[in-house]
Amino acid sequence: MGKIQADQSSMSSQETAVSSRVELKRTISLFSGVCVNIGIIIGSGIFVSPKGVLRGAGSVGLSLVLWVVCGVFSLLGALCFAELGTTWPSSGGAYAYLKAIYGDLVAFLLIWISVLMSEPAGFAVVALTFGNYCLQPLYPDPSCPPPQIMPQLLATLVILLLGMTNVLSTRLSTFVRNFFSVCKVVALVIIIVAGIVQLIQGETQNFENAFEGSTFSGLGNALYSGLFAFAGWHNLNIVTEELKNPNKNLPRAIYITVFSVTMIYTFANVAYFTAMAPRELLTSNAVAVTFGSKVLGQFALIMPIAVALSTFGAVNGSLLILPRLFYVGAREGHLPSLLSMIHIKFLTPLPSIVVTVVLCVIYTFSNDVYTLINYSSLVTWTSNGAVVAGMIWARYREPDKPRPFKVNIIIAVLFVAACIFLIVIGTIDSPIDTAIGVGITLTGIPVYFLLVYPKRLPRWLAGIQDSVTAWFQRLLLVIKEEKD
């Protein structure tokens, strides 16, 4: 009898655990998925990367070719990720796929470098672009830029403000993301339409001898800058568990998003060159604002406002993604369980948002935004190449595994080859940046074997983690009681 009661008690506790387990709900439709991807992809990149692409390419013609190449390359990778997302329909994106294909250590190294460097560095670039565009009307002369501390302080302010927004309300952050997504598309439409008018009026002098001055010595940095503008095409994979009918909607959202963004970016860059000579574009810290001041006349103020709103929304979208990566990493035991906790009242991932905000603020005080782009791009293309190479291997290792969406193997091979090319040429162009990125990644190996691989922390460290978690839970309870 006692045994039966014990079994019943055990079954009851298991049922309670299952019923109380927090699960992600499938609430993202095809339209919402496209909005999420476009809202994150179109951020600061198209407003800051044209300068980096032109500086590396050396000519107008080659820079425009590179923008198309970056779009095609992103589409190839996105299609491969569509297969990965339907084969392993778990949130977490590249992290989840690396774990399924290569195991815990490789997956941990990705989440380690993503948390410490690549993701917050990428967010910092967007926030710094916000600061530069806000200050551009006050400092219109490129030869007299604002003190470096000013855009850094504005970037810090927007990160803190949006961090607080994401803590207080998911609904509010969603509204902010949708509203500012419209703003960024409007800004680019204005640029493209104005460029078309310029072409009709015969402003084509910058396209004469378009390939004159082309150089391949800076090709790596040019591609990194261009691909940075497309960064985010894989973000929908991070929330696969929340996507409705992912087997159909994930590939569809990817096709729509990457094709649309490639067209918008290419036409926007053509528009830039209808009003600015290459030398003028290279001296501008806010390309769209310089374009507006030359083309829009008394309406030029529209551009810094629209771009600032665009980057504001992109920072908000970024703060949606990284906490979910924290959540999946903590769920898999690769990050402290504290980072998977949510606020009792607001139901938002407070600890992970706080960590994200702190790291982003630290990176905003970097002296060179293009160094941040290189850091972020190196990690992105190394991990993406490894994931797709693993996908090719998995096809032979598990040929009978269901694959609702399957890309041609040639696409996957081309993407891996292109990733290797990007890593090699980026290393040649910026060996110090590469060495720093590799060094930070390798620091994750001892951390993994000391704290993750044993599956059980040392008693003293486990005690510290338990104490911190208990203190944080008590703090949240106190805050809730005071609010009530």
Side-chain angles (χ1 to χ4, degrees), residues 45-67:
I46 187 58
F47 306 115
V48 68
S49 292
K51 181 176 178 179
V53 174
L54 179 61
R55 186 166 63 182
S59 70
V60 172
L62 183 57
S63 67
L64 292 176
V65 169
L66 290 180
W67 279 104

Side-chain angles (χ1 to χ4, degrees), residues 263-324:
M263 298 295 292
I264 291 172
Y265 280 4
T266 304
F267 287 135
N269 277 276
V270 170
Y272 288 149
F273 287 117
T274 64
M276 289 182 285
R279 182 176 300 178
E280 190 174 8
L281 189 147
L282 289 173
T283 59
S284 174
N285 288 323
V287 177
V289 174
T290 304
F291 174 86
S293 64
K294 295 178 70 67
V295 175
L296 299 181
Q298 60 181 340
F299 298 103
L301 188 61
I302 292 175
M303 290 316 303
I305 294 175
V307 175
L309 294 177
S310 169
T311 51
F312 188 89
V315 175
N316 183 68
S318 299
L319 285 170
L320 168 74
I321 295 300
L322 189 52
R324 279 166 167 74

Side-chain angles (χ1 to χ4, degrees), residues 22-28 36 40 90-96 111 114-115 119 123 166-167 169-171 173-174 177 234-243 316-332 335 339-342 347-354 356:
V22 177
E23 295 181 348
L24 300 172
K25 305 299 182 183
R26 296 195 182 276
T27 58
I28 301 177
V36 168
I40 294 176
S90 173
S91 290
Y95 165 75
I111 203 169
S114 296
V115 169
E119 295 294 340
F123 300 168
N166 279 267
V167 167
S169 173
T170 300
R171 181 177 297 179
S173 66
T174 300
R177 183 179 68 249
H234 52 75
N235 277 321
L236 198 58
N237 290 71
I238 297 179
V239 293
T240 302
E241 293 176 26
E242 300 170 71
L243 183 65
N316 183 68
S318 299
L319 285 170
L320 168 74
I321 295 300
L322 189 52
R324 279 166 167 74
L325 188 59
F326 278 130
Y327 166 77
V328 176
R331 184 178 68 181
E332 299 297 330
L335 292 176
L339 295 177
S340 65
M341 294 175 61
I342 63 173
L347 299 179
T348 52
L350 175 59
S352 60
I353 291 176
V354 170
T356 302

Side-chain angles (χ1 to χ4, degrees), residues 415-432:
F415 182 78
V416 174
C419 284
I420 294 172
F421 171 77
L422 279 173
I423 295 166
V424 171
I425 198 169
T427 301
I428 294 172
D429 286 352
S430 304
I432 295 177

Side-chain angles (χ1 to χ4, degrees), residues 57-208:
S59 70
V60 172
L62 183 57
S63 67
L64 292 176
V65 169
L66 290 180
W67 279 104
V68 176
V69 168
C70 290
V72 173
F73 179 66
S74 298
L75 179 60
L76 295 180
L79 292 175
C80 294
F81 267 64
E83 176 176 328
L84 288 160
T86 54
T87 305
W88 290 280
S90 173
S91 290
Y95 165 75
Y97 311 142
L98 287 174
K99 186 175 185 299
I101 296 170
Y102 297 106
D104 286 311
L105 175 58
V106 175
F108 175 79
L109 290 179
L110 174 62
I111 203 169
W112 173 258
I113 192 64
S114 296
V115 169
L116 285 186
M117 188 179 73
S118 64
E119 295 294 340
F123 300 168
V125 172
V126 182
L128 286 168
T129 305
F130 170 84
N132 283 320
Y133 272 89
C134 286
L135 293 169
Q136 184 68 16
L138 303 177
Y139 296 87
D141 186 359
S143 63
C144 185
Q148 188 174 11
I149 190 65
M150 293 181 66
Q152 290 173 336
L153 290 177
L154 283 174
T156 299
L157 179 63
V158 72
I159 290 171
L160 293 175
L161 177 61
L162 287 172
M164 187 179 300
T165 300
N166 279 267
V167 167
L168 294 177
S169 173
T170 300
R171 181 177 297 179
L172 178 60
S173 66
T174 300
F175 170 78
V176 171
R177 183 179 68 249
N178 292 341
F179 174 77
F180 290 109
S181 293
V182 173
C183 292
K184 68 183 69 180
V185 173
V186 169
L188 288 170
V189 168
I190 292 173
I191 291 172
I192 292 170
V193 171
I196 292 172
V197 173
Q198 288 281 99
L199 289 173
I200 293 173
Q201 293 175 348
E203 298 293 337
T204 60
Q205 61 272 17
N206 291 325
F207 300 102
E208 298 173 3

